[in-house]
Amino acid sequence: MDTSPIPLIKAILPKVPLMGKTTIYHTLGLHENSKHWDLRTALTIDILRSFIVDSPPESISKLQRLSLRGPEIRGRIWVSRATMPVPSEDNIKVALFKAIEGLKEPGDKSGGYREPELLPVEAEWTGYRAGATKNSNELRCSEEMKYQEMMKDITSKTTVLYFHGGAYYLMDPATHRPTAKKLAKLTKGRCFSVRYRLAPQNPFPAALLDALVSYFTLLYPPPGAFHEPVDPQHIVFAGDSAGGNLSLVLLQTLLELRRQGHKIRWNGEECEIHLPAGLALCSPWADLTYSSESCKKNGVFDYLPPLGSGAEERQQPPPCSIWPANPPRKNIYAEDAVLCHPLVSPLAAKSWEGSCPIYIGTGTELLTDEDKFVAQVAATQGVPVVFEQYEAMPHCFAMVLGTLPGSKLFFQRWSSFITHVVEGEDIKTNGRLIKSKTLQEASLEVERLLPSTHDEVRARMRERSTELSEKNPYPMSKL
């Protein structure tokens, strides 16, 4: 890996005037978020926002390629790379298509998506390497031996099935190793971080199929797998941003297949469809139509550009080998016809009944309202939901602003929920608003986070979907 500081210096130098302005305004109390943020946070978010909004647009292929670079495997981390083989029959793919059709609204046409192939899926087993130093090198041995060495450091029964963020077209398990390591350390368990297929080359439902294959591989490992069968009550789906979306839609898929009374034939066996112990989500992206009010009003706290800021017009990517798609479509991840489908935008899901407990942690960001509504609907349907909103914090703040006390609190709450559901503790629905500087907490009534009804939300989503189909594509995030 190239460790030269020159590219970073070249990128930062044009931001020096902005850094000076932010420092002066924050010191004088004139910065728009002086009362909520310390200077380091203000500088970080202002610079990130400038990179996203003001930098010349790059092609999707270049952004994707640059985003796949992860940190070197060094220090107190175990990484064992695994490849999940294609099952001996395609029943799991057929079942997914049945779930997609079963969740459509009456009158919706069948199809509306490209049927993906079943392909091998790569993933990384990640654990905390307790006996290492910060400078320890990765072991030079087989991936299976790395897995066996990792398991010697695992002291709990927790397995986190982790899906990384990146707007469905960016990033990789390698980029999220710090997060996976931290969750493994705090839960004393292990993470299985999935390298699902990325858009635009692999649009919906390719990533969802890979996620479903990954879950069944944990439950029912094929011959040659490193791991033994994992009890579903020891598995928690976790993810950030688009990975939070993937966790939610994987759960919706399981719920729908159970409603349909399905079993899945998997490597010669009829297998039950079990639910995991829980979902633990960081700033999940629940609405690909960006229909919520917070997508406009919360831009002051976020590095992502709010709707109506003009960023979508200024940041149109130049054509490249992977975008525009062939045949053309407007959305990088999914066809226009399915943008409001519950397995694309889980904000549209009507039923979470029978679900496992769900944790949602969010900031005061563009995605806050959609996260609130998902939490609210699930809670009103009897699902145990823990919802936490961190005042004045941006998207995935705990990963971006790791030294903040609020970020450390978030990771503690995130991991504690995972541990509690795996240990079978009774989860009670509760909501909290955590203040930005003091970390004082105020109660939130999860069943009444927003005044909107499901019909109103669906109507806004359909309206936004129509608007988006008439515009150029707008990738919400470069991160």
Side-chain angles (χ1 to χ4, degrees):
M1 178 184 291
D2 182 12
T3 58
S4 170
I6 294 176
L8 179 61
I9 293 171
K10 287 182 176 179
I12 291 293
L13 274 177
K15 308 300 179 185
V16 169
L18 172 64
M19 295 165 67
K21 178 181 176 181
T22 298
T23 300
I24 293 170
Y25 273 53
H26 189 277
T27 302
L28 296 176
L30 301 175
H31 190 277
E32 56 191 357
N33 288 313
S34 292
K35 67 177 181 179
H36 296 299
W37 295 350
D38 60 18
L39 177 58
R40 185 172 185 173
T41 300
L43 285 167
T44 301
I45 301 308
D46 284 359
I47 292 170
L48 272 177
R49 186 185 291 144
S50 177
F51 273 120
I52 293 171
V53 174
D54 300 328
S55 299
E58 300 283 3
S59 69
I60 296 298
S61 56
K62 182 177 181 180
L63 287 173
Q64 187 178 88
R65 184 175 66 254
L66 292 174
S67 78
L68 302 181
R69 299 174 181 173
E72 184 180 6
I73 300 174
R74 179 186 292 272
R76 300 182 178 95
I77 184 172
W78 291 112
V79 174
S80 170
R81 302 164 185 85
T83 299
M84 295 166 269
V86 174
S88 58
E89 57 276 286
D90 68 354
N91 190 245
I92 194 167
K93 182 171 73 168
V94 173
L96 174 58
F97 298 157
K98 288 181 178 178
I100 294 172
E101 297 303 322
L103 285 167
K104 286 185 174 179
E105 291 286 305
D108 285 351
K109 295 180 181 179
S110 62
Y113 54 91
R114 189 175 79 195
E115 296 186 1
E117 293 182 77
L118 266 173
L119 295 175
V121 182
E122 296 179 355
E124 293 186 353
W125 285 106
T126 307
Y128 182 69
R129 191 176 170 186
T133 69
K134 65 179 182 179
N135 295 317
S136 294
N137 293 318
E138 182 181 14
L139 293 186
R140 293 180 177 270
C141 60
S142 69
E143 298 301 324
E144 184 172 9
M145 185 173 291
K146 292 174 190 174
Y147 175 82
Q148 293 169 353
E149 291 298 313
M150 179 192 75
M151 290 303 296
K152 294 176 183 178
D153 278 340
I154 304 302
T155 59
S156 83
K157 52 194 177 184
T158 300
T159 296
V160 177
L161 179 55
Y162 197 86
F163 303 112
H164 66 83
Y168 273 121
Y169 73 102
L170 302 173
M171 298 198 178
D172 183 83
T175 62
H176 282 61
R177 285 172 187 154
T179 296
K181 181 186 79 169
K182 190 173 291 188
L183 286 176
K185 178 183 180 181
L186 292 171
T187 63
K188 298 179 173 61
R190 57 187 179 173
C191 288
F192 194 57
S193 188
V194 180
R195 183 168 286 115
Y196 58 84
R197 281 174 276 182
L198 298 178
Q201 308 96 307
N202 302 285
F204 170 84
L208 179 52
L209 179 59
D210 291 349
L212 187 58
V213 166
S214 303
Y215 182 48
F216 264 69
T217 298
L218 289 179
L219 298 177
Y220 309 107
F226 300 161
H227 66 284
E228 298 295 322
V230 185
D231 187 325
Q233 288 307 298
H234 298 165
I235 299 172
V236 175
F237 300 166
D240 61 282
S241 193
N245 177 298
L246 191 49
S247 299
L248 287 166
V249 298
L250 178 56
L251 174 60
Q252 270 292 317
T253 301
L254 301 177
L255 290 170
E256 175 62 16
L257 291 175
R258 287 163 65 93
R259 285 191 287 263
Q260 294 181 12
H262 270 292
K263 291 184 179 180
I264 290 179
R265 188 161 184 81
W266 175 262
N267 291 322
E269 301 289 337
E270 291 291 327
C271 295
E272 297 285 345
I273 297 173
H274 299 287
L275 297 183
L279 263 67
L281 312 176
C282 170
S283 296
W285 187 21
D287 177 17
L288 270 69
T289 73
Y290 326 118
S291 65
S292 297
E293 188 65 24
S294 59
C295 286
K296 300 176 183 177
K297 69 181 182 182
N298 284 356
V300 66
F301 301 118
D302 216 333
Y303 48 81
L304 300 179
L307 293 183
S309 66
E312 57 266 44
E313 285 78 23
R314 295 194 302 271
Q315 289 294 319
Q316 290 309 311
C320 63
S321 60
I322 63 174
W323 189 257
N326 185 20
R329 63 178 186 272
K330 294 293 186 179
N331 187 276
I332 285 180
Y333 176 61
E335 300 288 349
D336 295 345
V338 293
L339 283 182
C340 296
H341 191 285
L343 298 187
V344 175
S345 295
L347 182 68
K350 288 183 177 179
S351 177
W352 297 94
E353 289 184 27
S355 168
C356 54
I358 299 173
Y359 170 89
I360 295 177
T362 185
T364 306
E365 56 180 283
L366 269 60
L367 309 187
T368 298
D369 284 356
E370 57 203 67
D371 292 349
K372 283 183 175 181
F373 193 75
V374 170
Q376 176 176 297
V377 171
T380 57
Q381 294 175 349
V383 179
V385 176
V386 177
F387 177 83
E388 294 188 331
Q389 180 183 350
Y390 287 74
E391 180 188 41
M393 289 292 104
H395 185 59
C396 295
F397 70 93
M399 300 177 185
V400 178
L401 305 165
T403 61
L404 276 183
S407 298
K408 296 175 181 178
L409 176 64
F410 172 82
F411 265 99
Q412 186 270 321
R413 295 279 177 80
W414 197 12
S415 59
S416 292
F417 175 88
I418 292 171
T419 298
H420 292 159
V421 294
V422 169
E423 291 179 349
E425 295 187 19
D426 187 25
I427 303 297
K428 302 292 186 184
T429 293
N430 68 89
R432 291 183 285 260
L433 173 67
I434 294 94
K435 297 292 185 179
S436 54
K437 286 189 174 179
T438 65
L439 302 186
Q440 292 180 331
E441 299 182 12
S443 294
L444 297 173
E445 189 173 356
V446 182
E447 295 87 346
R448 297 183 180 180
L449 291 170
L450 290 175
S452 302
T453 66
H454 190 272
D455 287 344
E456 290 169 343
V457 167
R458 286 281 302 182
R460 284 199 298 266
M461 291 180 70
R462 286 193 293 269
E463 182 180 351
R464 277 290 298 158
S465 179
T466 300
E467 292 177 9
L468 290 170
S469 69
E470 298 169 352
K471 294 181 178 181
N472 288 320
Y474 174 44
M476 190 70 152
S477 171
K478 290 185 180 180
L479 300 180

